[in-house]
Amino acid sequence: MKKDLLKMLDLTKDEIVEILNLADQMKYNLKNGIAHEVLKGKTLGMIFQKSSTRTRVSFETGMYQLGGQALFLSSNDLQIGRGEPIEDTARVLARYLDGIMIRTFEQSEVESLAKWASIPVINGLTDFSHPCQILADLMTVREYHSALEGVKMTYIGDGNNMCNSLIVGALTSGMKISVATPKGYEPHADVLKFAEKFGGDFALVNSPEEASANADVMVTDVWASMGQEQEAQKRMKDFAGFQINDKLMAQAHAKAIVLHCLPAHRGEEITAEVFEKHADCIFDEAENRLHAQKAVMALLMGAK
């Protein structure tokens, strides 16, 4: 693997498979009480400029299970928000830590941190990309469908960081993906340019019904992400009709699974009925954040 995990666009198919295979092994080891302290004595610094439940708990627990420790750093704990250049923060932290996970707004901040830090940097989420979540999603799809190649994924909702990363991750892995967004909420231009080379394996439409036809995997996310709370009322109107419900699920394969990165707003992007029917899969997906991230940390921070 490369030195850092900054976005899905940086990963090759072989690298994705390497991460998923190791994640499967990590999950097996944990379930069977097999020690795997491959990061014993190492420390991960976790920078949070966006709050989170799953990201903090999964990274902190993952480092503990790998034999290391995790240090929580909120925006109040760092000088970044008070004028210290990120290149100085990166070089200082690199003297103390063995790796950095950052959850923030701007992708450029993650890229700058990685440029100046001599230790691995992991993107825990930005407004552009959410690579750790997508690796967990791909791991879950592979568990339920045995493979990724040829599986059709459908994403319904906002062309946000989840959508951007799902498109790249699915196509790189050999899947097909159809995306339905309201007009004006399309994925990032860089992602659409990337998808062009995959021809008919990618489709972007404004019709949830069209996108859902014959889907093996249905995916959605909240309509208003962190930082978009003031737009929530407008988004509720714009996304009317983009809910995963029984009617939409009828377009997909009868055995289609449903994924949601959580938190879920039942009655908005997904009905309570559909969510609960597929809750086992959704919480397998949530658990797999732990295993996928452990694999990433082991590959980036482990002994070379």
Short mmCIF file of all heavy atoms in Angstrom, two decimals, residues 145 212-218 246 248-258 274 277-278:
data_model
loop_
_atom_site.label_atom_id
_atom_site.label_comp_id
_atom_site.label_asym_id
_atom_site.label_seq_id
_atom_site.Cartn_x
_atom_site.Cartn_y
_atom_site.Cartn_z
N HIS A 145 -22.46 -11.42 -0.77
CA HIS A 145 -22.53 -11.86 -2.17
C HIS A 145 -21.34 -12.71 -2.60
O HIS A 145 -21.25 -13.09 -3.77
CB HIS A 145 -22.67 -10.65 -3.09
CG HIS A 145 -24.02 -10.01 -3.06
ND1 HIS A 145 -25.11 -10.55 -3.72
CD2 HIS A 145 -24.48 -8.90 -2.44
CE1 HIS A 145 -26.17 -9.79 -3.52
NE2 HIS A 145 -25.82 -8.78 -2.74
N SER A 212 -32.69 1.75 -9.48
CA SER A 212 -32.87 0.59 -8.61
C SER A 212 -33.15 -0.71 -9.34
O SER A 212 -33.12 -1.79 -8.73
CB SER A 212 -34.01 0.86 -7.61
OG SER A 212 -33.75 2.02 -6.86
N ALA A 213 -33.43 -0.63 -10.63
CA ALA A 213 -33.79 -1.82 -11.39
C ALA A 213 -32.70 -2.89 -11.30
O ALA A 213 -31.54 -2.63 -11.60
CB ALA A 213 -34.06 -1.46 -12.85
N ASN A 214 -33.07 -4.08 -10.81
CA ASN A 214 -32.19 -5.24 -10.74
C ASN A 214 -30.96 -5.03 -9.84
O ASN A 214 -29.92 -5.66 -10.04
CB ASN A 214 -31.72 -5.65 -12.14
CG ASN A 214 -32.89 -6.00 -13.04
OD1 ASN A 214 -33.79 -6.73 -12.63
ND2 ASN A 214 -32.89 -5.46 -14.25
N ALA A 215 -31.09 -4.16 -8.85
CA ALA A 215 -29.97 -3.91 -7.94
C ALA A 215 -29.77 -5.08 -6.98
O ALA A 215 -30.72 -5.70 -6.52
CB ALA A 215 -30.22 -2.63 -7.15
N ASP A 216 -28.49 -5.37 -6.70
CA ASP A 216 -28.13 -6.37 -5.70
C ASP A 216 -27.89 -5.73 -4.34
O ASP A 216 -28.00 -6.39 -3.30
CB ASP A 216 -26.86 -7.12 -6.12
CG ASP A 216 -27.02 -7.82 -7.45
OD1 ASP A 216 -27.89 -8.70 -7.54
OD2 ASP A 216 -26.27 -7.49 -8.39
N VAL A 217 -27.53 -4.45 -4.36
CA VAL A 217 -27.22 -3.70 -3.14
C VAL A 217 -27.86 -2.32 -3.27
O VAL A 217 -27.64 -1.62 -4.25
CB VAL A 217 -25.70 -3.52 -2.95
CG1 VAL A 217 -25.41 -2.84 -1.61
CG2 VAL A 217 -24.98 -4.86 -3.03
N MET A 218 -28.64 -1.93 -2.27
CA MET A 218 -29.25 -0.60 -2.21
C MET A 218 -28.58 0.19 -1.10
O MET A 218 -28.46 -0.29 0.03
CB MET A 218 -30.75 -0.71 -1.96
CG MET A 218 -31.52 -1.43 -3.05
SD MET A 218 -31.76 -0.41 -4.52
CE MET A 218 -33.03 0.73 -3.94
N ASP A 246 -40.53 0.34 0.48
CA ASP A 246 -40.93 -0.95 -0.10
C ASP A 246 -41.15 -0.86 -1.60
O ASP A 246 -40.82 -1.79 -2.35
CB ASP A 246 -42.20 -1.46 0.58
CG ASP A 246 -41.94 -1.96 2.00
OD1 ASP A 246 -40.79 -2.33 2.29
OD2 ASP A 246 -42.88 -1.96 2.81
N LEU A 248 -39.68 1.12 -3.76
CA LEU A 248 -38.39 1.17 -4.46
C LEU A 248 -37.67 -0.17 -4.38
O LEU A 248 -37.05 -0.61 -5.36
CB LEU A 248 -37.52 2.28 -3.86
CG LEU A 248 -36.42 2.85 -4.77
CD1 LEU A 248 -37.01 3.41 -6.06
CD2 LEU A 248 -35.64 3.94 -4.05
N MET A 249 -37.76 -0.82 -3.24
CA MET A 249 -37.12 -2.12 -3.07
C MET A 249 -37.71 -3.16 -4.03
O MET A 249 -37.03 -4.11 -4.41
CB MET A 249 -37.26 -2.62 -1.63
CG MET A 249 -36.42 -1.85 -0.62
SD MET A 249 -34.64 -1.88 -0.94
CE MET A 249 -34.29 -3.63 -0.80
N ALA A 250 -38.95 -2.98 -4.45
CA ALA A 250 -39.58 -3.90 -5.39
C ALA A 250 -38.91 -3.87 -6.76
O ALA A 250 -39.04 -4.81 -7.55
CB ALA A 250 -41.07 -3.58 -5.53
N GLN A 251 -38.17 -2.79 -7.06
CA GLN A 251 -37.45 -2.68 -8.33
C GLN A 251 -36.15 -3.49 -8.30
O GLN A 251 -35.63 -3.89 -9.33
CB GLN A 251 -37.11 -1.21 -8.63
CG GLN A 251 -38.29 -0.27 -8.63
CD GLN A 251 -39.30 -0.63 -9.69
OE1 GLN A 251 -38.96 -0.92 -10.83
NE2 GLN A 251 -40.58 -0.61 -9.31
N ALA A 252 -35.62 -3.69 -7.08
CA ALA A 252 -34.35 -4.41 -6.93
C ALA A 252 -34.59 -5.91 -6.91
O ALA A 252 -35.73 -6.38 -6.91
CB ALA A 252 -33.68 -3.96 -5.63
N HIS A 253 -33.50 -6.67 -6.90
CA HIS A 253 -33.62 -8.12 -6.78
C HIS A 253 -34.26 -8.47 -5.44
O HIS A 253 -34.10 -7.76 -4.45
CB HIS A 253 -32.24 -8.78 -6.87
CG HIS A 253 -31.71 -8.89 -8.27
ND1 HIS A 253 -32.42 -9.46 -9.29
CD2 HIS A 253 -30.52 -8.50 -8.81
CE1 HIS A 253 -31.70 -9.42 -10.41
NE2 HIS A 253 -30.55 -8.84 -10.14
N ALA A 254 -34.96 -9.58 -5.41
CA ALA A 254 -35.69 -9.98 -4.20
C ALA A 254 -34.75 -10.16 -3.01
O ALA A 254 -35.14 -9.92 -1.87
CB ALA A 254 -36.46 -11.27 -4.47
N LYS A 255 -33.51 -10.57 -3.26
CA LYS A 255 -32.56 -10.81 -2.18
C LYS A 255 -31.56 -9.66 -2.04
O LYS A 255 -30.50 -9.83 -1.43
CB LYS A 255 -31.83 -12.12 -2.41
CG LYS A 255 -32.73 -13.35 -2.31
CD LYS A 255 -31.94 -14.64 -2.44
CE LYS A 255 -32.85 -15.86 -2.29
NZ LYS A 255 -32.08 -17.12 -2.39
N ALA A 256 -31.91 -8.49 -2.55
CA ALA A 256 -31.01 -7.34 -2.44
C ALA A 256 -30.80 -6.96 -0.98
O ALA A 256 -31.72 -7.04 -0.16
CB ALA A 256 -31.59 -6.15 -3.20
N ILE A 257 -29.58 -6.56 -0.66
CA ILE A 257 -29.28 -6.09 0.69
C ILE A 257 -29.34 -4.56 0.71
O ILE A 257 -29.27 -3.91 -0.35
CB ILE A 257 -27.91 -6.58 1.19
CG1 ILE A 257 -26.77 -6.00 0.32
CG2 ILE A 257 -27.85 -8.09 1.21
CD1 ILE A 257 -25.37 -6.28 0.87
N VAL A 258 -29.48 -3.99 1.90
CA VAL A 258 -29.52 -2.53 2.07
C VAL A 258 -28.38 -2.12 2.98
O VAL A 258 -28.15 -2.73 4.03
CB VAL A 258 -30.87 -2.08 2.66
CG1 VAL A 258 -30.86 -0.58 2.96
CG2 VAL A 258 -32.02 -2.42 1.71
N VAL A 274 -38.11 -0.71 6.06
CA VAL A 274 -36.98 -1.21 5.26
C VAL A 274 -35.73 -1.30 6.13
O VAL A 274 -34.98 -2.27 6.05
CB VAL A 274 -36.74 -0.33 4.02
CG1 VAL A 274 -35.44 -0.73 3.32
CG2 VAL A 274 -37.90 -0.43 3.05
N LYS A 277 -35.97 -4.33 8.46
CA LYS A 277 -35.89 -5.58 7.70
C LYS A 277 -34.44 -5.92 7.36
O LYS A 277 -34.07 -7.10 7.30
CB LYS A 277 -36.73 -5.48 6.43
CG LYS A 277 -36.77 -6.77 5.62
CD LYS A 277 -37.65 -6.63 4.39
CE LYS A 277 -37.67 -7.92 3.57
NZ LYS A 277 -38.54 -7.79 2.36
N HIS A 278 -33.62 -4.88 7.15
CA HIS A 278 -32.23 -5.08 6.74
C HIS A 278 -31.25 -4.67 7.85
O HIS A 278 -30.07 -4.45 7.57
CB HIS A 278 -31.94 -4.29 5.46
CG HIS A 278 -32.74 -4.77 4.28
ND1 HIS A 278 -32.32 -5.77 3.46
CD2 HIS A 278 -33.96 -4.38 3.83
CE1 HIS A 278 -33.23 -5.98 2.51
NE2 HIS A 278 -34.23 -5.15 2.72
#
